[in-house]
Every structure is written in C-alpha cells, then in structure tokens.
DNA sequence: TTGTAGGCGTTATCAT
DNA sequence: ATGATAACGCCTACAA
C-alpha cells in the first residue's frame, strides 16, 4: 500500500501549482491548452482521484444517498433500490443501505450515521409512522428525506403506490363474483399503506351495501408465519371466508400451504388475491391473481423526488407521488360455492 | 438548514479548548471528571457528531464497505448483503452498494468510485474472472477485496459455496434413480461457480462409468428467458433428457413454464433439481428438489473475512472459505419411464 | 493565465 | 490535566 497521491504530487509532476491542477479537474476554462494537457497527463500517469473526504470538507457535494428499510431481502425493497440506483447513478450519486429490522431506535441511529458519513439525503421507509422521536428527527430537517410508502405528520415528500384503488378494485371484483365474506391479511398496522388498504376494502363494501366483518381482518404482521397461522384460523371459523385478499410479499408463502393443509382448493373453496406480483404468484397452480405495482418505478420516482429537493426545485412539503396499481386476474378467483 | 455544529461550538459552550473536546469523545483518560462531564453535556446539548469527512482526512477509518454485484434484485445477493450487514454493523461499518449490470467497465468505475468515497474494502462478485483490466485493478491492491462466489488469478481472498459437491451429489442421486440423460442449465460461463458445477456433473458421471452428453449442456445465461427457451429445445430433442439440473435462481421460473407448455409432468416425464432454494421451489406442485446453501451465512463469512483482512490478521492470499451445500429432496425426482 | 495563501473540522504533537 | 497549533487534501478568492 503506497501513500496516497495528492494534488501536490500531480502539481510537482506537471510543474505547475496545485491550484492549476484543481482547475483542470474541475473544468475551469481559464487554463492554457498546453498546461491542461500536461496536467491531465500527470493525473493519468499517477492515477490521481481527488479525495472525496477533502472535497466534502470544502462543502463539495458527497453525492451519497442513504436508504433505510426493514430488510433488504424483501424483493420490494431491493427492486426499489435498483430503481433508485438507476436514476441516482446517472447523476453521480452512490447509495448506502441499512436495515432497521423494524426498530425505531435503530432508525434514529441510522439517520445520524448517514448524516455523519456525509449523506445528502435519505430515502426512508419508516417503520412506525407515529414514533415521536423519529418524527422529531425528520422534522428537524437536518437531512432531506423522501418517504417510501409512508406518510408522516411532517413537511416531508413521499412516494407510494395507490393501494387504496388497488384494494378497492380487488374487493369490488370479488364482490361482483358473489363473495360476501372476504378476509384480509396484511401488516403494517398504523401505516399509510395499511390505512389505504383497509379503506379500499371498506369502500368496495359500502358501495355494494355490505359491511366488513371485523372477524375476517388480520392486520398485524407481514410475516409468513403470521399468514400461515391466521389463514388456518380463518378457514376453521364457523363461517369461514369464501375469499381472501393477502397483501404483502411474504404472506402468500404462508397462505398457500395453510390452504393446502386445510384441504381446500383454490379457487373452488376459496378465492385468493395477493400483492405484489411475484414469480410464485405467476407459477403457482393455479396462478394467483394479484394487485400489482412497479416497485422499480417507485424507486425511480423516489430518487427523482429527492434529486429535485436537493436542487431546490421542490420544497419538502408533503407532496406525494402516486404510482398506479393494477389488478391482474389469473386463475385464483371464482364465484363462491352455493 | 442551520449551520453545522463543530468542535469549536462545543468547546466554546463548555468553556474548554477544542483539543479537550476531542479527547472526551475519543475516550482519552487524561481528562478531569468535571471537565469531561461539562463537555459531554455540551455535546448532548448541541447534538454534535464529529464529521466523518474531517475525521477521514485525519486518517481515521471511514467504516464503509462497498458491495458490487450484477443486480441487487437477485435474492441471493440481497441475502448476502443482509448477512454481511449483520456482521459489519456490529463493528460500526456501513455499506455502500452498486450494481454492475454485468459490465466490466462499470465494475472498474465502481471500484474507483468506492475508493474515492473512502470505502476501506469491497465485497465483490466479479462478472468476468478473466477481464485483464479488472484483474489489474484488483491486483494493484489499492483496495482490499473479498470475492463472492468467484476466483481470480490474484492474491485475493474469497468466499463461496461448495457447488462442486452439491452438483455432484445431485447428479449421483439422479443417476442412482436410473437417469442416463441428465441436462444441465446454468450460466456464468468462465466463472469458478460454473466450472465447479460442470466438474461435479462430470465426476458423478465418471464414477458411474457414464459420459456427459454435451448436447444436454446449456451453460450460457442466468436469465429466465434463456432457461425457458433452452428447456423447450431440450424437450424437443430426438432423445430428450429424462432429468435436468437447473442452477441459478431466475432459471427455475423459466424452466417450469417451459415444461408445462411442453405438456410434460414432473417427475413422471422429467425429473428436476434446482438451486438455490426458494419459496417457488418449496411451494410449486410438486415441490422442487434443490441444492441449497445459506446465502446469508455466505454474506456473514465474506464480512468476517474482510474485517480480518482490514485488521491485518489475514493476508490477501487466495484463501477460500467454503460454505456447505445440501441436497434437499422433494417431490420433483423419480425414476425415468421405461 | 497562473501562483499564493487561507480555511474547512478533526486529531495529534507540542507546550504549559 | 489542559491549551495552542500544525497538519490532512482540497477549493477558491486574491495577487501577480
């Protein structure tokens, strides 16, 4: 490991002052052609790259954006990261990621850690929208934030999918097939996403003059185990649901075996609509109908929004960009048995 | 956006010199109890966090590690990232990620970008093990590197799964069921992983006194489309395979529909073994036998290896840590029809 | 057009 | 035990 090569080394090699080297790399026009060439040659020769640490001390942008979510293994989040990366890398930005594992304390710490490391903004899927400490930290405005699928009582912009319409259309469809007992399994209780979904379910019912049976609502977790357990319990109810809307990637993997082990068939005994789309949903037998949205595009939008904020083109002010959802019908829905 | 709070602010507030503030945060013992308390109070009061940019200029570790792979959306990679994050965050490190999208040029650029941003090491799934430029850059030793599932002709340590044994056992099992025409679909041609897998297939055949029919080898891509197309072509061969080993996450999603559309049944018409394990493999009908390895643990090991290298406990020298693979039998294999 | 010098926020080396 | 001060590598007035 040789010593770091600095402007001074380049300047000496090119026989100029360090200021001239700086001018060359920063494209300042007032530099003679011959000098510019000599300096460039020295730079290439020595393989010098300006130290970002030194630059950022001078107030130059670090071009780093932080990402906080519960777990990068959730394919929704990795798709969003990839989507954001596409936009951000075009603008010279790089991405730092960190998992909160669902802890608000950890989120708080991560916000500080990111800032300390010079992140210029954070794309953030808050765990608990009502945690006062997180709220205060975001409100402090120390670090520009774009919310992912969340809503906060603070002047922060957000990007999210239109879960309300998606869930409403799914419920409307099931109701139109004749279903009257529609279960819903999802998590994120207390978040914008969960509120939208529940509202969508309610709206579809009201519109048809029906009411939602609270017994059929299981809204407490996104875990596979939860879905497995609750689906079994739902199916062993005296009046089991004839259809279920299962919202959240890991849940489908719990619901499918629960239905199988309870000896029910899809769609004859129970109709199913899941979200988001996945290879499992596409390739299951029968293929599962889903509410689909483009997580990659959502990542794109989040990045664009943050970039606009950094450029000052847009104020941080509860602006919300909405990505459409789409109901994809496959073989998992039918009219209920008489 | 208020101005940054610095040591000077804290020093002034506590009525001490900046050096003393520095001593307090760095836990230097030669500080009076009263002074230490006063300084700490001022720090908490102002919410001061030392600027990492300034620190790293002084040669203090930035505690940042870079990750390069083709696409974070591959669940294998996101699992590895999560695994590495678990270890790294315990040691105060944070993670930067970037996708190469399969381009060696991009990899080269990313290596520079990471270094420029102060990364202390990189965990790297090289795309092309024989690219001379990448090889040269890694050899330059500018940035400590740990290879993920790869091998390079350079003094670099690596972490990978034992694909040779895994594939050999899978092939042995199929041969023991009576299969004589075993196809293999996978990608990454020219990488260590691909070599190991092919060797495993060969070893199992040789041991049984059989030879591998090169017609049944499709080794050119990890894409779903590739698997879909090649599987259909394999099945329409005059002498189609009676079994297939399909190695690579996205491939199973191509193979399954290809088999379905060709009107074959698993395992009656064709036996199938896939890798790595996935929800799709578990929940398909029938459930698919797989060669499984723990990508999360692999990420753990990569992080540990890099940490040891950074501490100087281990030299960069082609050390390879191997994670075991396991053959998980499910309902996708049977003896071939007569 | 090019060079000199000051300062960004820390840490570390001197003094005191 | 504490304070003053010199780096670290870079950018940018300002001077020449």
């Amino acid at each position: 490991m040789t010593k770091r090569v600095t402007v001074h080394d380049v300047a000496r090699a090119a026989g100029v002052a360090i200021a001239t080297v700086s001018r060359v790399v920063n494209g300042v026009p007032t530099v003679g052609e011959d000098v510019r060439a000599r300096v460039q040659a020295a730079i290439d020769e020595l393989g010098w790259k300006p130290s970002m640490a030194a630059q950022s001390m001078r107030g130059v942008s670090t071009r780093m954006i932080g990402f906080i979510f519960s777990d990068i293994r959730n394919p929704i989040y990795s798709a969003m990261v990839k989507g954001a990366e596409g936009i951000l890398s075009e603008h010279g930005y790089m991405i730092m990621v960190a998992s909160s594992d669902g802890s608000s304390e950890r989120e708080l710490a991560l916000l500080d850690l990111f800032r300390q490391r010079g992140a210029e903004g954070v794309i953030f899927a808050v765990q608990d929208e009502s945690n006062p400490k997180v709220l205060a930290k975001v409100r402090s405005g120390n670090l520009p934030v774009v919310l992912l699928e969340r809503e906060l009582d603070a002047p922060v912009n957000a990007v999210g999918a239109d879960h309300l319409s998606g869930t409403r259309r799914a419920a409307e469809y099931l109701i139109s097939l004749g279903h009257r007992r529609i279960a819903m399994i999802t998590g994120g209780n207390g978040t914008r996403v969960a509120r939208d979904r529940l509202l969508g379910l309610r709206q579809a019912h009201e519109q048809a003059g029906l009411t939602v049976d609270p017994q059929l609502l299981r809204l407490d977790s996104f875990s596979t185990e939860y879905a497995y357990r609750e689906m079994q319990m739902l199916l062993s109810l005296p009046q089991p649901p004839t259809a279920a809307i299962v919202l959240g990637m890991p849940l489908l993997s719990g619901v499918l075996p629960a239905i199988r082990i309870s000896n029910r068939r899809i769609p004859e005994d129970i109709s199913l609509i899941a979200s988001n789309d996945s290879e499992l949903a596409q390739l299951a037998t029968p293929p599962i109908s889903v509410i689909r949205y483009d997580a990659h595009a959502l990542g794109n939008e989040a990045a664009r929004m943050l970039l606009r904020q950094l450029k000052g083109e847009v104020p941080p002010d509860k602006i919300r960009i909405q990505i459409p959802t789409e109901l994809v019908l496959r073989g998992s829905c039918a009219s209920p048995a008489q």
Side-chain angles (χ1 to χ4, degrees), chain A:
Chain A
M1 302 246 192
T2 66
K3 211 165 147 289
R4 247 201 95 79
V5 19
T6 77
V7 245
H8 294 97
D9 303 322
V10 177
R12 197 173 329 114
V16 298
I18 59 164
T20 304
V21 177
S22 177
R23 282 190 269 262
V24 169
V25 289
N26 293 317
V28 177
T30 74
V31 177
E33 263 322 310
D34 48 339
V35 180
R36 156 161 278 123
R38 223 165 59 232
V39 170
Q40 191 56 56
I43 291 175
D44 296 342
E45 167 86 18
L46 298 171
W48 173 70
K49 296 273 192 310
S51 142
M52 212 152 227
Q55 285 185 318
S56 84
M57 272 202 46
R58 292 282 322 172
V60 175
S61 158
T62 59
R63 309 251 150 182
M64 298 219 284
I65 300 295
F67 251 88
I68 306 180
F69 29 61
S70 53
D71 189 335
I72 180 85
R73 283 174 295 186
N74 186 327
I76 286 285
Y77 290 132
S78 49
M80 288 178 184
V81 170
K82 186 68 162 74
E85 191 195 356
I87 303 296
L88 292 174
S89 68
E90 277 176 16
H91 294 255
Y93 282 82
M94 303 205 69
I95 291 179
M96 314 196 316
V97 297
S99 308
S100 68
D101 292 316
S103 148
S104 293
E105 289 304 319
R106 177 86 184 132
E107 287 178 343
L108 240 24
L110 287 174
L111 252 11
D112 280 342
L113 285 170
F114 276 149
R115 199 163 76 90
Q116 210 176 139
R117 282 179 167 69
E120 296 178 31
V122 172
I123 296 177
F124 188 10
V126 212
Q127 201 57 31
D128 174 2
E129 294 183 352
S130 60
N131 184 291
K133 284 167 143 182
V134 173
L135 205 55
K137 176 141 299 199
V138 170
R139 277 217 191 94
S140 81
N142 261 326
L143 199 52
V145 167
V146 167
L147 258 27
L148 222 43
E149 292 276 39
R150 297 289 185 273
E151 189 177 48
L152 230 41
D153 184 15
V156 191
N157 298 332
V159 175
D162 185 2
H163 296 288
L164 195 156
S165 308
T167 312
R168 175 160 35 74
R169 279 197 304 272
E172 283 169 358
Y173 174 66
L174 290 171
I175 291 173
S176 79
L177 286 179
H179 291 278
R180 292 299 174 264
R181 297 188 59 71
I182 303 173
M184 181 158 116
I185 309 182
T186 188
N189 211 336
T191 67
R192 163 78 187 243
V193 176
R195 279 194 301 281
D196 279 358
R197 285 169 165 170
L198 193 50
L199 190 55
L201 186 73
R202 290 233 151 85
Q203 285 184 356
H205 277 74
E206 278 167 22
Q207 195 182 302
L210 304 169
T211 59
V212 175
D213 180 352
Q215 259 201 76
L216 302 182
L217 265 23
R218 308 298 158 111
L219 311 175
D220 290 326
S221 161
F222 282 123
S223 81
T224 301
E225 299 69 36
Y226 177 76
Y228 181 76
R229 195 178 63 232
E230 297 302 325
M231 193 57 176
Q232 282 195 288
M233 296 181 62
L234 283 166
L235 289 175
S236 58
L237 244 34
Q239 291 196 27
T242 61
I245 301 177
V246 176
L247 304 169
M249 283 241 144
L251 300 180
L252 182 57
S253 330
V255 159
L256 253 23
I259 293 176
R260 188 181 297 173
I261 212 172
S262 305
N263 248 320
R264 315 289 171 111
R265 289 157 309 162
I266 306 172
E268 293 83 353
D269 301 317
I270 183 155
S271 291
L272 200 59
I273 296 181
S275 175
N276 194 357
D277 203 3
S278 64
E279 293 180 342
L280 177 57
Q282 291 167 41
L283 295 171
T285 35
I288 308 299
S289 301
V290 296
I291 301 165
R292 171 164 70 189
Y293 63 96
D294 186 343
H296 189 266
L298 220 158
N300 281 339
E301 289 308 326
R304 276 196 262 266
M305 171 71 92
L306 187 50
L307 249 23
R308 278 198 295 264
Q309 247 177 265
L310 294 181
K311 279 192 253 171
E313 294 174 13
V314 153
D317 184 31
K318 302 200 80 167
I319 300 167
R320 182 180 158 90
I321 294 204
Q322 194 125 288
I323 294 281
T325 51
E326 180 190 3
L327 182 61
V328 181
L329 264 21
R330 300 207 260 251
S332 65
C333 298
S335 291
Q338 292 315 317

